[in-house]
Amino acid sequence: IRSNAPKSFAAQNRAVTTNDFEALVNSNFSGFRSVYVFGGEDADPPQFGKVFITLNPNIGTIVPSSLKTSIELFLQDRCSVGSVPEVIDPDASYFRYSASVIYNDNLTVLDSATLATLIKNEISKFFRNNTTDFNSFVSITEMERAVLNALPEVSTVQILPSLEKRFIPDATRASDYTIKFKTPIFHPHSGHQSVISSNEFKVLDVNNVDRIVTVRDDGNGTLNAVENLGGIETVVYSNFGSVNYALGEVAFDSFKLTTHSENDIKIRVVV
């Protein structure tokens, strides 16, 4: 209330600036943790005349359609004639990590598996507590310190972060896809080891046969689709797509893709 009341008073039930939109949504609706508003000129690609409202839902990443419609109708009566409010789902990025841990077994009665579970729980708790708002950040150093403070038997922890994007492919036809991470992908030099990976999914090969593959980059901006059978790797497509390391974009060429054992395709990058 202390945070939202001055903004609501300043808005005076009008939606002119992005702060006005945020204050009106916060004051009149619930079921989400935070609101972010931006003008259509800042969209990718730009959509002039629109105002986009995105919500950080309490559960999951999808906002109910009924809530979207209610907010849009509410704001239409309070914004200028040339502005069209549209509520969109957030473009979710998922935090992944690997953690290297050294601990003193003389200081604990826990086995390594139980201790690993506790470390994972501490990392998850830290991440949840620090990503309530859109305009928030996560410090890996502080995350490591939180683990050390919570578990005295742990003497050293090093967390290596990565990001994951997810999408559901169009299983009816060949399509191209561009995944935008909106942050540079780690690429210190040409020929560097692969920093892109994925879960397993299916792709039609040149003989129209489904192959179960994962993707990885070659260190020079090219994506490969690789099949692993009994520990033996085979490159199904050596030019499966491209990577723009500086812009943080991974692009698939036009292939017919379907999911395999999961509901979506997950692309992971080291940032």
Side-chain angles (χ1 to χ4, degrees):
I1 293 174
R2 183 178 296 171
S3 172
N4 290 330
K7 299 176 184 177
S8 181
F9 177 78
Q12 293 290 300
N13 212 31
R14 301 165 303 179
V16 179
T17 68
T18 56
N19 286 337
D20 294 342
F21 279 89
E22 291 179 5
L24 287 171
V25 174
N26 273 319
S27 300
N28 293 276
F29 298 91
S30 61
F32 47 86
R33 291 186 289 174
S34 58
V35 183
Y36 183 69
V37 178
F38 60 97
E41 66 276 8
D42 295 322
D44 182 18
Q47 299 184 48
F48 297 99
K50 283 192 174 183
V51 178
F52 292 102
I53 303 95
T54 187
L55 309 176
N56 188 4
N58 289 327
I59 300 174
T61 60
I62 303 299
V63 178
S65 299
S66 57
L67 178 58
K68 292 180 183 178
T69 302
S70 297
I71 293 175
E72 289 171 353
L73 292 174
F74 177 82
L75 293 175
Q76 282 174 6
D77 295 334
R78 291 162 175 81
C79 62
S80 60
V81 175
S83 300
V84 178
E86 181 177 341
V87 181
I88 60 175
D89 291 318
D91 179 15
S93 297
Y94 297 85
F95 172 73
R96 296 181 65 90
Y97 66 90
S98 61
S100 301
V101 177
I102 298 174
Y103 73 98
N104 186 342
D105 57 3
N106 292 322
L107 297 179
T108 183
V109 296
L110 304 175
D111 58 28
S112 59
T114 303
L115 187 58
T117 299
L118 293 176
I119 292 169
K120 291 176 184 177
N121 291 342
E122 286 298 326
I123 292 173
S124 295
K125 181 172 70 174
F126 182 91
F127 190 82
R128 285 196 307 270
N129 291 341
N130 287 275
T131 56
T132 301
D133 298 325
F134 281 101
N135 294 308
S136 59
F137 68 94
V138 173
S139 165
I140 301 302
T141 301
E142 291 181 6
M143 180 181 285
E144 293 168 342
R145 188 178 299 119
V147 174
L148 294 173
N149 291 339
L151 302 166
E153 58 267 58
V154 175
S155 56
T156 303
V157 57
Q158 182 181 26
I159 297 173
L160 299 177
S162 59
L163 287 181
E164 177 180 283
K165 289 282 193 181
R166 303 174 184 177
F167 70 94
I168 299 175
D170 184 348
T172 63
R173 61 187 179 89
S175 303
D176 53 359
Y177 302 91
T178 299
I179 301 96
K180 298 180 179 181
F181 287 89
K182 300 182 181 179
T183 189
I185 298 171
F186 183 62
H187 186 61
H189 59 82
S190 296
H192 185 71
Q193 66 182 11
S194 176
V195 292
I196 296 173
S197 59
S198 74
N199 62 341
E200 290 185 332
F201 59 91
K202 295 179 182 178
V203 61
L204 283 180
D205 66 10
V206 292
N207 297 315
N208 216 33
V209 175
D210 268 331
R211 306 281 289 273
I212 300 173
V213 301
T214 59
V215 296
R216 66 185 182 203
D217 65 306
D218 65 352
N220 293 298
T222 300
L223 278 183
N224 296 328
V226 180
E227 182 181 52
N228 190 319
L229 293 176
I232 300 175
E233 290 190 340
T234 304
V235 176
V236 178
Y237 288 107
S238 58
N239 285 293
F240 192 65
S242 60
V243 185
N244 188 318
Y245 298 101
L247 294 180
E249 296 182 359
V250 178
F252 289 8
D253 290 341
S254 186
F255 292 96
K256 187 176 181 181
L257 310 180
T258 53
T259 56
H260 175 46
S261 58
E262 300 182 73
N263 294 326
D264 44 23
I265 296 177
K266 299 176 171 66
I267 306 300
R268 302 151 186 160
V269 302
V270 179
V271 294

